[in-house]
Amino acid sequence: MASLQAIYGDLRTRGIFRIESTDGAEATPCARFVDRVARCRAHLAGSGIREGDAVLFHGDQGPAAIVVFWATVLEGAVFVPVDGGWPAYLLQKACAKTGPAVAFVEDALLPSWQGLSGAKVVALSVLEAGLSDGSASDAAAIRPRHADADLAGERPAVYLFTSGSTGDPKAVVLSHAALAHSAQRVVDTFDWRTGERLLNLADPHTMSGLRNAFVAAPLAGMAWISAPKRQRENTFALLECIERTQPQRMVVAPVLLRHVNLLGARVDAGVFASTKAVYCTGTDLNGDEVRNFHARFGIPVVNYYGLTETVGLCVSQDVRDWSPGDAGIGCPVGCEARVVDGDGDEVAGDGEGELQILLDHPMSGYLDDAEATAAMFDGRWLRTGDLVRRDADGRIRIVGRSGDFIKTMGTEKIQPREIEAVLEQCQGVAEAAVFGWSDPSGGERIAALIVAGADQDGALLSDHRLASFVRERLGASRVPAIFRRVAAIPRSANGKTLRKKLQDFV
């Protein structure tokens, strides 16, 4: 499948994709979905959207998000989803970076846009009303302003924001071809099949949320189950949702396994009666949790790996020969992988080194940041920053990181310096060091060491004040769970933070 346009054309011809809601709303069959995309395209054309313009989406997963995505890319514009939890500070940064012509915003998030300029802000309720007007025959007659065949290849399709080192998020540029090829890898690797239901918990501002639900599910001819955030963030509500909708495939954070295992017999086996496989990414899986879950329900938990920069999936376990005792992340899929030492030489045998990935269609780069883009590549090989070992069968196991990223229990890698830069702007903070604190349920929590400025009132450094300061500037997902006051940050003779020693303070 060479392009997003080819995927969408096949979707229309086959007519087998559908969106199912968990909140009691009527399911959206393929014909209705295509109708809504046509209307959204007409709305964009009427707004003066041109090829290459950015269309920002500020909200959570749902029917409106996938409609805006497809309307945007088919019009030749660039889809820019941002975190629904972002404060106005980061929204301003995103607008300055991408210059969106239109921003579609969930009604509850509209207050964050007061005073922001540069984009035409459209409430999702207004968009929804427009998508419901007229008849299907009218929508079918709408002629797109651009020839679909001309929009394939390396044209930008999406900007996805990822963690930056200065407090400013970086925009990863993903092409039409990159997304299409990544979606095909998912369908082939995960053995997703026509007629199955997919419950994918990540939001569209993440790689898994965007690619899996918006591109791979339509490509496979699956039904995508759209769950509101209130159900996805509450374990009991989520289990009720799973029992009611009976998905065959689920992409979840590993913490769900932990919660299900802790609940024990309170979770009836019928909840997962239709589930063929669970897929987890964004953090290392806890082997005990995987084995306990599998022992109870007999469902494989497939560990897969990818960065936004690799357009997601590049290494994965195979559901067809899966074993609960496999502690690795699997083998390369649709790419080549190598393990290199600090000098850039390939490591022999099962030696430890940095994982690097070679793809035909990786990210196009970071938007307007040639220096950061160049730093991510060793020739054509993309540096992941993860330290791994590789066995004789090609299976890869992560053993650490060469970079300083924090792996959360969601699907993000967070750059500590992003949070440090913000904390050091806070009155009373002389220095800050941020790191990942291992959580027993898998993944990492964010921890911060704080050095107070001279003659500062200790009240200025309360956990509440520090947390609020970070939340206002970076959003809730970047707020440290732990703050520790220290006399000094451990540093080397040349002043570099000794990050391996930061854990000793927790």
Side-chain angles (χ1 to χ4, degrees), residues 84-134:
W86 266 11
Y89 174 85
L90 284 183
L91 295 175
Q92 185 66 64
K93 294 282 187 182
C95 288
K97 172 71 74 172
T98 62
V102 176
F104 293 103
V105 182
E106 284 192 5
D107 291 42
L109 300 175
L110 287 171
S112 299
W113 287 82
Q114 292 181 4
L116 294 182
S117 60
K120 177 185 177 182
V121 178
V122 179
L124 284 190
S125 60
V126 174
L127 175 67
E128 289 279 4
L131 298 181
S132 301
D133 291 339

Short mmCIF file of all heavy atoms in Angstrom, two decimals, residues 84-134:
data_model
loop_
_atom_site.label_atom_id
_atom_site.label_comp_id
_atom_site.label_asym_id
_atom_site.label_seq_id
_atom_site.Cartn_x
_atom_site.Cartn_y
_atom_site.Cartn_z
N GLY A 84 -4.74 16.87 24.54
CA GLY A 84 -5.89 17.54 25.15
C GLY A 84 -5.59 18.11 26.52
O GLY A 84 -6.33 18.97 27.00
N GLY A 85 -4.50 17.67 27.14
CA GLY A 85 -4.13 18.19 28.45
C GLY A 85 -3.16 19.36 28.40
O GLY A 85 -2.75 19.87 29.45
N TRP A 86 -2.79 19.79 27.21
CA TRP A 86 -1.83 20.90 27.09
C TRP A 86 -2.42 22.20 27.60
O TRP A 86 -3.56 22.54 27.29
CB TRP A 86 -1.43 21.07 25.64
CG TRP A 86 -0.18 20.32 25.26
CD1 TRP A 86 0.46 19.39 26.01
CD2 TRP A 86 0.55 20.45 24.05
NE1 TRP A 86 1.56 18.92 25.34
CE2 TRP A 86 1.63 19.57 24.13
CE3 TRP A 86 0.40 21.23 22.91
CZ2 TRP A 86 2.57 19.43 23.11
CZ3 TRP A 86 1.33 21.10 21.89
CH2 TRP A 86 2.40 20.21 21.99
N PRO A 87 -1.63 22.97 28.33
CA PRO A 87 -2.06 24.32 28.75
C PRO A 87 -1.87 25.31 27.60
O PRO A 87 -1.24 25.01 26.57
CB PRO A 87 -1.12 24.63 29.91
CG PRO A 87 0.14 23.89 29.57
CD PRO A 87 -0.31 22.61 28.89
N ALA A 88 -2.37 26.53 27.79
CA ALA A 88 -2.28 27.57 26.76
C ALA A 88 -0.84 27.85 26.37
O ALA A 88 -0.54 28.15 25.21
CB ALA A 88 -2.97 28.84 27.24
N TYR A 89 0.07 27.75 27.33
CA TYR A 89 1.49 28.01 27.07
C TYR A 89 2.01 27.14 25.94
O TYR A 89 2.69 27.61 25.02
CB TYR A 89 2.28 27.77 28.36
CG TYR A 89 3.78 27.87 28.25
CD1 TYR A 89 4.43 29.10 28.35
CD2 TYR A 89 4.55 26.73 28.07
CE1 TYR A 89 5.81 29.19 28.25
CE2 TYR A 89 5.94 26.81 27.97
CZ TYR A 89 6.56 28.04 28.06
OH TYR A 89 7.92 28.12 27.97
N LEU A 90 1.70 25.82 26.00
CA LEU A 90 2.18 24.91 24.97
C LEU A 90 1.40 25.05 23.67
O LEU A 90 1.95 24.83 22.59
CB LEU A 90 2.12 23.47 25.47
CG LEU A 90 3.21 23.07 26.46
CD1 LEU A 90 3.08 21.60 26.83
CD2 LEU A 90 4.61 23.33 25.88
N LEU A 91 0.12 25.37 23.78
CA LEU A 91 -0.66 25.60 22.56
C LEU A 91 -0.06 26.76 21.76
O LEU A 91 0.02 26.72 20.53
CB LEU A 91 -2.12 25.90 22.91
CG LEU A 91 -2.89 24.76 23.56
CD1 LEU A 91 -4.28 25.23 23.95
CD2 LEU A 91 -2.99 23.56 22.63
N GLN A 92 0.36 27.80 22.47
CA GLN A 92 0.99 28.94 21.80
C GLN A 92 2.28 28.51 21.12
O GLN A 92 2.57 28.93 19.99
CB GLN A 92 1.27 30.05 22.82
CG GLN A 92 1.83 31.33 22.19
CD GLN A 92 0.80 32.00 21.29
OE1 GLN A 92 -0.24 32.45 21.75
NE2 GLN A 92 1.11 32.08 20.00
N LYS A 93 3.05 27.66 21.79
CA LYS A 93 4.29 27.15 21.19
C LYS A 93 3.98 26.35 19.93
O LYS A 93 4.68 26.47 18.91
CB LYS A 93 5.02 26.25 22.20
CG LYS A 93 5.56 26.96 23.43
CD LYS A 93 6.83 27.72 23.12
CE LYS A 93 7.46 28.27 24.38
NZ LYS A 93 8.69 29.05 24.11
N ALA A 94 2.95 25.49 20.00
CA ALA A 94 2.59 24.66 18.85
C ALA A 94 2.14 25.52 17.68
O ALA A 94 2.48 25.26 16.52
CB ALA A 94 1.49 23.67 19.24
N CYS A 95 1.36 26.55 17.97
CA CYS A 95 0.89 27.45 16.91
C CYS A 95 2.05 28.21 16.28
O CYS A 95 2.11 28.39 15.06
CB CYS A 95 -0.14 28.42 17.46
SG CYS A 95 -1.74 27.67 17.85
N ALA A 96 2.99 28.65 17.12
CA ALA A 96 4.15 29.37 16.60
C ALA A 96 5.00 28.48 15.71
O ALA A 96 5.57 28.92 14.71
CB ALA A 96 4.98 29.93 17.75
N LYS A 97 5.08 27.19 16.08
CA LYS A 97 5.91 26.25 15.32
C LYS A 97 5.27 25.87 13.99
O LYS A 97 5.95 25.79 12.96
CB LYS A 97 6.17 25.00 16.18
CG LYS A 97 6.87 23.86 15.45
CD LYS A 97 8.31 24.17 15.14
CE LYS A 97 9.18 24.09 16.37
NZ LYS A 97 10.62 24.19 16.03
N THR A 98 3.96 25.60 14.00
CA THR A 98 3.31 25.02 12.82
C THR A 98 2.46 26.02 12.03
O THR A 98 2.12 25.75 10.88
CB THR A 98 2.42 23.84 13.21
OG1 THR A 98 1.37 24.28 14.09
CG2 THR A 98 3.24 22.77 13.94
N GLY A 99 2.07 27.15 12.66
CA GLY A 99 1.27 28.15 11.96
C GLY A 99 -0.03 27.61 11.40
O GLY A 99 -0.30 27.77 10.20
N PRO A 100 -0.89 26.99 12.20
CA PRO A 100 -2.12 26.39 11.66
C PRO A 100 -3.07 27.44 11.10
O PRO A 100 -3.22 28.52 11.66
CB PRO A 100 -2.73 25.69 12.88
CG PRO A 100 -2.21 26.44 14.06
CD PRO A 100 -0.81 26.86 13.68
N ALA A 101 -3.70 27.07 9.99
CA ALA A 101 -4.72 27.94 9.41
C ALA A 101 -6.05 27.77 10.12
O ALA A 101 -6.83 28.71 10.26
CB ALA A 101 -4.88 27.63 7.92
N VAL A 102 -6.32 26.53 10.59
CA VAL A 102 -7.56 26.21 11.30
C VAL A 102 -7.21 25.35 12.49
O VAL A 102 -6.30 24.51 12.42
CB VAL A 102 -8.56 25.46 10.38
CG1 VAL A 102 -9.79 25.04 11.17
CG2 VAL A 102 -8.95 26.31 9.19
N ALA A 103 -7.92 25.55 13.61
CA ALA A 103 -7.77 24.70 14.78
C ALA A 103 -9.15 24.19 15.18
O ALA A 103 -10.04 24.99 15.49
CB ALA A 103 -7.13 25.46 15.93
N PHE A 104 -9.35 22.88 15.12
CA PHE A 104 -10.59 22.27 15.59
C PHE A 104 -10.40 21.90 17.05
O PHE A 104 -9.48 21.15 17.40
CB PHE A 104 -10.93 21.03 14.76
CG PHE A 104 -11.27 21.33 13.33
CD1 PHE A 104 -10.35 21.10 12.31
CD2 PHE A 104 -12.51 21.85 13.00
CE1 PHE A 104 -10.66 21.39 11.00
CE2 PHE A 104 -12.84 22.14 11.69
CZ PHE A 104 -11.91 21.91 10.68
N VAL A 105 -11.28 22.41 17.91
CA VAL A 105 -11.06 22.32 19.36
C VAL A 105 -12.31 21.78 20.03
O VAL A 105 -13.43 22.24 19.76
CB VAL A 105 -10.72 23.72 19.94
CG1 VAL A 105 -10.45 23.63 21.43
CG2 VAL A 105 -9.52 24.32 19.21
N GLU A 106 -12.11 20.80 20.94
CA GLU A 106 -13.23 20.32 21.74
C GLU A 106 -13.80 21.47 22.57
O GLU A 106 -13.05 22.30 23.09
CB GLU A 106 -12.78 19.19 22.68
CG GLU A 106 -12.58 17.87 21.98
CD GLU A 106 -12.42 16.72 22.96
OE1 GLU A 106 -12.55 16.96 24.18
OE2 GLU A 106 -12.16 15.60 22.51
N ASP A 107 -15.11 21.49 22.70
CA ASP A 107 -15.77 22.62 23.36
C ASP A 107 -15.22 22.88 24.75
O ASP A 107 -15.03 24.03 25.15
CB ASP A 107 -17.28 22.36 23.43
CG ASP A 107 -17.93 22.42 22.06
OD1 ASP A 107 -17.35 21.89 21.09
OD2 ASP A 107 -19.03 22.99 21.95
N ALA A 108 -14.95 21.81 25.51
CA ALA A 108 -14.47 21.98 26.88
C ALA A 108 -13.08 22.59 26.92
O ALA A 108 -12.67 23.12 27.96
CB ALA A 108 -14.46 20.62 27.59
N LEU A 109 -12.34 22.55 25.81
CA LEU A 109 -10.98 23.06 25.78
C LEU A 109 -10.88 24.47 25.20
O LEU A 109 -9.80 25.05 25.15
CB LEU A 109 -10.09 22.11 24.97
CG LEU A 109 -9.98 20.68 25.49
CD1 LEU A 109 -9.17 19.82 24.53
CD2 LEU A 109 -9.36 20.65 26.88
N LEU A 110 -12.01 25.02 24.77
CA LEU A 110 -12.00 26.34 24.14
C LEU A 110 -11.42 27.44 25.04
O LEU A 110 -10.76 28.36 24.53
CB LEU A 110 -13.41 26.72 23.69
CG LEU A 110 -13.94 25.98 22.45
CD1 LEU A 110 -15.41 26.27 22.24
CD2 LEU A 110 -13.12 26.36 21.22
N PRO A 111 -11.63 27.41 26.38
CA PRO A 111 -11.04 28.47 27.22
C PRO A 111 -9.52 28.58 27.08
O PRO A 111 -8.96 29.66 27.27
CB PRO A 111 -11.45 28.06 28.64
CG PRO A 111 -12.73 27.31 28.45
CD PRO A 111 -12.55 26.55 27.18
N SER A 112 -8.85 27.46 26.75
CA SER A 112 -7.40 27.50 26.59
C SER A 112 -6.97 28.35 25.41
O SER A 112 -5.81 28.76 25.32
CB SER A 112 -6.85 26.07 26.40
OG SER A 112 -7.13 25.27 27.52
N TRP A 113 -7.92 28.62 24.50
CA TRP A 113 -7.58 29.34 23.28
C TRP A 113 -7.86 30.84 23.37
O TRP A 113 -7.63 31.57 22.40
CB TRP A 113 -8.34 28.73 22.09
CG TRP A 113 -7.75 27.41 21.71
CD1 TRP A 113 -8.00 26.20 22.28
CD2 TRP A 113 -6.78 27.18 20.69
NE1 TRP A 113 -7.24 25.23 21.69
CE2 TRP A 113 -6.48 25.79 20.71
CE3 TRP A 113 -6.13 28.00 19.78
CZ2 TRP A 113 -5.55 25.23 19.83
CZ3 TRP A 113 -5.21 27.43 18.90
CH2 TRP A 113 -4.93 26.06 18.94
N GLN A 114 -8.36 31.28 24.49
CA GLN A 114 -8.61 32.72 24.65
C GLN A 114 -7.30 33.49 24.59
O GLN A 114 -6.36 33.20 25.32
CB GLN A 114 -9.33 32.99 25.97
CG GLN A 114 -10.75 32.44 26.02
CD GLN A 114 -11.45 32.74 27.33
OE1 GLN A 114 -10.90 33.42 28.19
NE2 GLN A 114 -12.66 32.24 27.48
N GLY A 115 -7.23 34.45 23.70
CA GLY A 115 -6.03 35.25 23.56
C GLY A 115 -5.02 34.71 22.58
O GLY A 115 -4.07 35.40 22.22
N LEU A 116 -5.19 33.43 22.15
CA LEU A 116 -4.29 32.88 21.15
C LEU A 116 -4.72 33.37 19.78
O LEU A 116 -5.90 33.50 19.48
CB LEU A 116 -4.31 31.35 21.18
CG LEU A 116 -3.76 30.68 22.44
CD1 LEU A 116 -3.79 29.18 22.30
CD2 LEU A 116 -2.34 31.15 22.72
N SER A 117 -3.76 33.63 18.92
CA SER A 117 -4.08 34.16 17.60
C SER A 117 -3.37 33.35 16.52
O SER A 117 -2.53 32.51 16.81
CB SER A 117 -3.64 35.63 17.50
OG SER A 117 -2.24 35.73 17.70
N GLY A 118 -3.75 33.63 15.28
CA GLY A 118 -3.09 33.01 14.15
C GLY A 118 -3.85 31.89 13.50
O GLY A 118 -3.53 31.48 12.38
N ALA A 119 -4.85 31.34 14.16
CA ALA A 119 -5.62 30.25 13.59
C ALA A 119 -7.11 30.54 13.74
O ALA A 119 -7.55 31.13 14.73
CB ALA A 119 -5.28 28.92 14.27
N LYS A 120 -7.89 30.10 12.78
CA LYS A 120 -9.34 30.16 12.89
C LYS A 120 -9.77 29.01 13.79
O LYS A 120 -9.58 27.84 13.45
CB LYS A 120 -9.98 30.04 11.52
CG LYS A 120 -11.50 30.01 11.56
CD LYS A 120 -12.10 29.77 10.17
CE LYS A 120 -13.63 29.67 10.25
NZ LYS A 120 -14.23 29.41 8.91
N VAL A 121 -10.34 29.31 14.95
CA VAL A 121 -10.72 28.28 15.91
C VAL A 121 -12.17 27.86 15.66
O VAL A 121 -13.07 28.70 15.62
CB VAL A 121 -10.56 28.79 17.35
CG1 VAL A 121 -11.02 27.73 18.35
CG2 VAL A 121 -9.11 29.18 17.61
N VAL A 122 -12.37 26.55 15.48
CA VAL A 122 -13.70 25.99 15.23
C VAL A 122 -14.02 24.99 16.32
O VAL A 122 -13.28 24.01 16.52
CB VAL A 122 -13.76 25.30 13.86
CG1 VAL A 122 -15.15 24.70 13.62
CG2 VAL A 122 -13.40 26.27 12.74
N ALA A 123 -15.09 25.22 17.05
CA ALA A 123 -15.52 24.27 18.09
C ALA A 123 -16.00 22.98 17.43
O ALA A 123 -16.63 23.01 16.37
CB ALA A 123 -16.64 24.88 18.94
N LEU A 124 -15.69 21.84 18.05
CA LEU A 124 -16.10 20.56 17.47
C LEU A 124 -17.62 20.44 17.38
O LEU A 124 -18.13 19.78 16.47
CB LEU A 124 -15.53 19.40 18.28
CG LEU A 124 -14.03 19.11 18.08
CD1 LEU A 124 -13.66 17.79 18.76
CD2 LEU A 124 -13.65 19.07 16.61
N SER A 125 -18.35 21.07 18.30
CA SER A 125 -19.81 21.02 18.22
C SER A 125 -20.30 21.71 16.95
O SER A 125 -21.26 21.26 16.31
CB SER A 125 -20.43 21.68 19.45
OG SER A 125 -20.05 23.05 19.54
N VAL A 126 -19.63 22.80 16.56
CA VAL A 126 -19.99 23.50 15.33
C VAL A 126 -19.65 22.65 14.12
O VAL A 126 -20.43 22.54 13.16
CB VAL A 126 -19.25 24.86 15.25
CG1 VAL A 126 -19.49 25.53 13.90
CG2 VAL A 126 -19.70 25.76 16.39
N LEU A 127 -18.47 22.02 14.14
CA LEU A 127 -18.09 21.13 13.05
C LEU A 127 -19.07 19.98 12.92
O LEU A 127 -19.52 19.65 11.82
CB LEU A 127 -16.68 20.59 13.27
CG LEU A 127 -16.20 19.56 12.25
CD1 LEU A 127 -16.04 20.19 10.88
CD2 LEU A 127 -14.90 18.90 12.70
N GLU A 128 -19.41 19.34 14.06
CA GLU A 128 -20.34 18.21 14.04
C GLU A 128 -21.67 18.60 13.43
O GLU A 128 -22.27 17.85 12.65
CB GLU A 128 -20.54 17.67 15.46
CG GLU A 128 -19.34 16.95 16.04
CD GLU A 128 -19.23 15.52 15.55
OE1 GLU A 128 -20.04 15.11 14.70
OE2 GLU A 128 -18.32 14.82 16.01
N ALA A 129 -22.16 19.79 13.77
CA ALA A 129 -23.43 20.25 13.22
C ALA A 129 -23.33 20.38 11.70
O ALA A 129 -24.24 20.01 10.96
CB ALA A 129 -23.84 21.58 13.84
N GLY A 130 -22.20 20.91 11.22
CA GLY A 130 -22.01 21.05 9.79
C GLY A 130 -21.90 19.73 9.07
O GLY A 130 -22.36 19.58 7.93
N LEU A 131 -21.30 18.74 9.73
CA LEU A 131 -21.15 17.43 9.10
C LEU A 131 -22.47 16.67 9.02
O LEU A 131 -22.59 15.69 8.28
CB LEU A 131 -20.13 16.58 9.88
CG LEU A 131 -18.70 17.11 9.94
CD1 LEU A 131 -17.81 16.15 10.71
CD2 LEU A 131 -18.14 17.37 8.56
N SER A 132 -23.45 17.11 9.78
CA SER A 132 -24.74 16.43 9.81
C SER A 132 -25.76 17.06 8.86
O SER A 132 -26.84 16.51 8.66
CB SER A 132 -25.32 16.44 11.24
OG SER A 132 -24.44 15.80 12.13
N ASP A 133 -25.43 18.22 8.26
CA ASP A 133 -26.36 18.91 7.37
C ASP A 133 -26.32 18.30 5.97
O ASP A 133 -25.30 17.76 5.54
CB ASP A 133 -26.01 20.40 7.27
CG ASP A 133 -26.28 21.12 8.57
OD1 ASP A 133 -27.08 20.59 9.36
OD2 ASP A 133 -25.70 22.20 8.78
N GLY A 134 -27.43 18.41 5.23
CA GLY A 134 -27.46 17.99 3.84
C GLY A 134 -27.69 16.51 3.68
O GLY A 134 -28.01 15.79 4.63
#
